[in-house]
Amino acid sequence: MARPVYIIDGARTPFLKAQGGPGPFTPVDLAVQAGRPLLARQPFAPGAFDQVILGCVNVIADEMNPARVAALRLGMGERMVAFTVQINCGSGMQSIDTAYRYIEAGKADMILAGGAEALSYAPLVFPQSGVRWFAKFAGARDSLTRIAAFLKARPSYFKPIIGLERGLTDPITDLNMGQTAEVVAHLMGVTREQADAYSVESHRRLAYAQEHGYLKGEVETAFARDGKFYDHDDGVRPDSSVDKLARLKPAFERPWGQVTPGNSSQITDGACWTILASEDAVNKYGLKPKAIIVDSQWAGLDPAIMGFGPVLSSTELLKRNKLSLQDIDTWEINEAFASQLLGCLAAWNDDKFCREVLGLDGAAGAIDQTKLNVDGGAISLGHPVGTSGNRIVLHLVNAMKRLGTKRGIATECIGGGLGGAMLIETV
């Protein structure tokens, strides 16, 4: 018999915009900043967990297996098993899903699952031609050979490539993530005006949530080594407007493209943790669960249209649980790009797409946007890739508790042609 798995608590750092150079925190720094206040308010010792699982995509050289490094820095003990998972944008949700499956199967009782990403630490890399030259130069065994190798150097060998740019380009289709969003927008007829209007609303909702304290207890202040502190998501633009966004040029497909810096998720640094527990752990420590994980689903599709990932994964989840779109009270769909998210909504409302792609009898229908990303999303607060899947699950739970809703889905598209979805019910 599968055991119930509860979401107990969680916390994250503020999401901080990358500023063109390494930020104040590495991925592990961020994980520690989010983890310390979270663990400090629990009625059990940090070493009480069975495992630590952390999603991280851009692991830096000084922090191999950041899950283990973070666990040790959080005082969880040398015996704590900790490992890192990577499934691009789904990494933070994958950590929760892996923990969910361990606890459900009876192999663990309490797991700390998270995501951490410092995109400002994405490396600069040399061209392969430069790497080969360095190898020959380093392998030269005498002065004459070394001089000969040196004279073959070319300026292009030393021109660095932004690693993040290559990391956000699909190696199969050679399309970057913004271009895949353009494909989705074209297929579903999403306009630039619609994308810009959605983005303005995302900023408005996050600003409102910050002003009214909706993120209190979820967002914890992060303290840097230089004494500075960060207490809010700093990418929000409360004064954003459709007129202002309309002035921006398309980022990828000029002059007619829909995707601009203003209607895309922001490049940010941030971390998030979620505590999962079995019923035995709940009873042992007197915990108060916020929600129960009902089910999860992953889906694969053509990388060129990876933006449809939420549609495929969520639909399979709904089918298996005999639910419709309208049965879901609250949605968190990661805002990779406004045009991509709006393309998903259009796909569910398209009879042909639902019949031919999803295997439904007709259009699934429309999602009421008052139930979707109620406090904004990645367009306004940012998308630290390995973290976002964890954040949307945690925030979905917190939003449902605040709103008094029962059933919710957190879902996201994933670079490489994947999608992930998780069905949650409050308790």
Side-chain angles (χ1 to χ4, degrees):
M1 293 289 291
R3 301 194 305 168
V5 180
Y6 298 99
I7 293 176
I8 305 301
D9 197 359
R12 67 174 177 91
T13 66
F15 283 7
L16 307 176
K17 292 188 298 183
Q19 300 293 335
F25 305 103
T26 68
V28 169
D29 288 339
L30 290 161
V32 172
Q33 291 290 324
R36 280 178 177 158
L38 175 63
L39 297 183
R41 67 187 184 222
Q42 304 308 316
F44 50 79
F49 289 94
D50 296 297
Q51 289 181 343
V52 174
I53 308 173
L54 183 73
C56 186
V57 178
N58 290 276
V59 176
I60 67 173
D62 295 330
E63 297 177 349
M64 291 294 109
N65 190 10
R68 174 64 172 171
V69 182
L72 291 172
R73 284 182 57 187
L74 285 168
M76 302 180 79
E78 295 177 356
R79 299 175 69 88
M80 182 61 62
V81 176
F83 60 93
T84 305
V85 294
Q86 204 271 60
I87 183 175
N88 285 341
C89 314
S91 302
M93 184 180 287
Q94 180 66 71
S95 71
I96 294 177
D97 192 44
T98 303
Y100 162 51
R101 299 303 176 183
Y102 271 116
I103 296 172
E104 182 187 49
K107 295 181 179 179
D109 282 306
M110 198 160 59
I111 296 178
L112 182 64
E117 200 75 68
L119 292 179
S120 65
Y121 274 80
L124 294 175
V125 296
F126 286 105
Q128 286 299 310
S129 56
V131 173
R132 286 191 288 269
W133 177 85
F134 275 116
K136 289 181 180 179
F137 184 76
R141 297 185 179 279
D142 55 63
S143 298
L144 288 177
T145 307
R146 192 172 292 111
I147 292 171
F150 178 78
L151 292 174
K152 292 181 180 180
R154 298 292 180 268
S156 62
Y157 294 173
F158 307 99
K159 184 179 180 180
I161 300 168
I162 299 173
L164 181 60
E165 181 179 332
R166 295 308 304 157
L168 294 177
T169 300
D170 182 76
I172 305 300
T173 64
D174 204 32
L175 297 175
N176 64 46
M177 297 300 99
Q179 289 173 310
T180 69
E182 292 281 14
V183 175
V184 169
H186 174 72
L187 291 173
M188 304 314 300
V190 178
T191 68
R192 167 73 181 272
E193 292 74 18
Q194 289 172 327
D196 286 349
Y198 181 90
S199 300
V200 169
E201 180 65 10
S202 179
H203 284 280
R204 187 197 69 79
R205 292 186 181 192
L206 176 58
Y208 188 89
Q210 290 178 336
E211 181 183 351
H212 288 79
Y214 293 164
L215 304 180
K216 185 178 180 180
E218 177 178 322
V219 177
E220 296 288 351
T221 301
F223 298 88
R225 288 183 172 90
D226 63 3
K228 292 182 180 179
F229 67 91
Y230 304 83
D231 61 2
H232 66 281
D233 306 308
D234 65 3
V236 62
R237 297 188 295 272
D239 61 346
S240 181
S241 70
V242 173
D243 288 341
K244 290 180 179 178
L245 294 186
R247 300 171 197 158
L248 300 176
K249 294 181 179 180
F252 307 106
E253 300 295 334
R254 296 182 179 179
W256 309 115
Q258 314 300 328
V259 179
T260 73
N263 58 36
S264 305
S265 57
Q266 301 179 44
I267 297 173
T268 48
D269 299 349
C272 183
W273 291 108
T274 303
I275 295 174
L276 283 75
S278 68
E279 195 163 16
D280 289 344
V282 167
N283 293 332
K284 180 178 179 179
Y285 297 109
L287 306 178
K288 296 180 179 179
K290 293 184 175 182
I292 187 170
I293 300 177
V294 178
D295 200 358
S296 63
Q297 177 68 42
W298 302 88
L301 67 162
D302 182 346
I305 51 171
M306 67 94 197
F308 287 126
V311 181
L312 272 67
S313 55
S314 298
T315 301
E316 286 305 308
L317 194 61
L318 292 169
K319 284 181 181 178
R320 187 164 58 245
N321 289 276
K322 297 180 172 56
L323 298 170
S324 69
L325 290 181
Q326 292 70 37
D327 291 322
I328 304 304
D329 304 311
T330 312
W331 288 84
E332 280 287 327
I333 302 178
N334 191 46
E335 297 172 354
F337 303 91
S339 57
Q340 168 268 323
L341 187 148
L342 293 173
C344 288
L345 300 185
W348 267 313
N349 213 20
D350 185 88
D351 187 81
K352 183 178 180 181
F353 188 99
C354 288
R355 289 180 184 274
E356 296 182 1
V357 179
L358 303 179
L360 301 176
D361 294 332
I367 292 178
D368 182 350
Q369 291 198 37
T370 63
K371 301 179 179 180
L372 169 64
N373 297 352
V374 295
D375 298 318
I379 288 171
S380 52
L381 62 85
H383 178 22
V385 180
T387 307
S388 291
N390 205 275
R391 183 201 72 82
I392 63 173
V393 172
L394 175 61
H395 188 70
L396 175 67
V397 171
N398 289 339
M400 287 196 296
K401 296 294 284 186
R402 186 182 83 236
L403 298 171
T405 56
K406 178 66 176 176
R407 187 181 292 126
I409 284 180
T411 183
E412 61 195 336
C413 62
I414 299 171
L418 297 167
M422 189 161 284
L423 178 61
I424 307 289
E425 288 186 1
T426 51
V427 295

